Amino acid sequence: MTEPSPPATSASSATPSAPPAPARRFVPQQIDLGDWSQLEPLFRDLLDREFDSPAAVERWLTDYSELAAAVSEYGARRQIDHACHTDDAEIERAFMHFIEQVVPRLHPVEFELQQKLLASPHAAALDTERYRMLKRDWQAEVELFRQENVPLFTDLTKLASEYDKIVGAMEVDYAGRRCTLQQIARYQEEPDRAVREQTWRLATDRRLEDRGRVDDVFDRMLALRGRVARHADQPDYRAYAFKHRQRFDYTPEDCLAFGDAIEQVCVPLLARLDAERRDRLGVETLRPWDTTVDPDATEPLAPYDADDTSALLGGVREMLTRVGPDLGEAFARLRDKRNLDLESRRGKRAGGFQAALQESGEPFIFMNAAGLQRDVETLLHEAGHAFHFLWSYQHEPLTFIRHAPIEFCEVASMSMELMAMDHLDVFYRDAARLARAKRKMLEGIVRVFPWIATIDGFQHWLYTQDQPPSAEARTDQWLSLMARFGSSAVDWSGLENARASLWQRQLHLFHHPFYYVEYGIAQLGALQIWARYRQDPPAALRDYRRSLSLGGTRPLPALFEAAGLRFDFTRQTLEPAIHQLARELEATA
């Protein structure tokens, strides 16, 4: 690993763009990466090689990395296509072919290759700092691998695809228009309370129509995940997930203690904000459709026309340019290379993500824009992920050690939202609307901490039961957590079914089990970067770039340290960060 980038003022702090992808030296240029019969000889070559020196191991790693990057990008493109068009039969066929015919064959051979490296005496002589994390992570994967889990992973991917299709088909009719649930969400910011209630009920009723189908998908997922853990000789799926996600630097008990801190610090602030909201709206009780509207506004925040995502792109590019000119240039290249799919439409998967195309070195951003302030935040968030990938790609040629722990990947994205926040005047020209937009972002952070604690606590309970819990037991536990972490100022009377099924909206529960507490850990890191950025922007950006360029070559605490942050998510760190947030909120009132 080369030294991290110098400060932004240095000539060598290059624009975060992917250098030209290196020409393939091991993988043939003309190869069908979806055909296992063409891939298998390449993997066999790697398995059969003999190591006679550390240099031979490094050459082997270079060839393996080239093959892994090519296969990874092929699979990522199939997944992107499917996310963009869940209702396209041909695209689904290609995606499922990869999932069913290639991925199950990859798992066993990857296990053998990891074993091969770990068993070689020459691997011990590899550069300690650069390869330490690779060897640690591969050791955990080898210990977890079981051949009998391979078909179960395929089944889980199919179930996640089934969930996507159910949600992607959800639409409602409103005001003479057929709307996706992402599109109808924009009406939750309308000052007209009757409009908010009507559209909230339309979307909620549509979700409830498929509540049973989603429950059925999740039941099958829970059973499969339990089998995966038992096959791997783990006491439960939580233990399996912590090792699989390589959470070596904190424990389940740390996560539960984080939830306690959120309950003590954030939940009272959330209840206070909602009580103020109720009073400012002049309503007797605050209802779910009152929680996102600006209580002082006569019209919703509309940063751009919902049908014109070019305005969204142009505005976000300008915000990023103000943070750092190189950031704006890199973002523009995503558009020029058609590495964006932003519009919400029928048949498109819910949510948003950034996909790293490991061979070409290009990031791809997927989201569902609907003309909301949240769209600006989401695009900035995913741009942060994209820059992280670009910087790590620049500095680390090996695919296996480019990717940082997820907890730090989310620092990259959440910090970008906060650093760019002071440039929201790109979208809002008058001071009042600008203050509203900033307040909305800051209040969103206060709200997300209790939601993170709810989702994380739900998963700790789900995956430590002796048997997969029934739908009824899940509902009881969910409602208990909602009572603990939800706002006491919001009245859900008469809406019990809607509240009981809120968890079904959280895509991570279906696609990425136990991937959620990371957002809370990362948000604390991002708040620290934001505080540093406001005091000394060049220094904060320098350390931000440096830490992102390290990719996955350092343990999580060291990555936080490289960014000038404390790796800590106890009340000791949470409380001052939330108090600072509360002061900023008061300044926007």
Side-chain angles (χ1 to χ4, degrees), residues 40 46 125 490 536:
E40 187 174 24
L46 293 168
V490 180
D536 189 346

Side-chain angles (χ1 to χ4, degrees), residues 335-347:
R335 177 199 59 203
D336 296 342
K337 295 190 175 185
R338 301 169 66 87
N339 279 341
L340 299 163
D341 189 307
L342 308 183
E343 298 84 358
S344 178
R345 60 180 178 272
R346 179 183 176 86

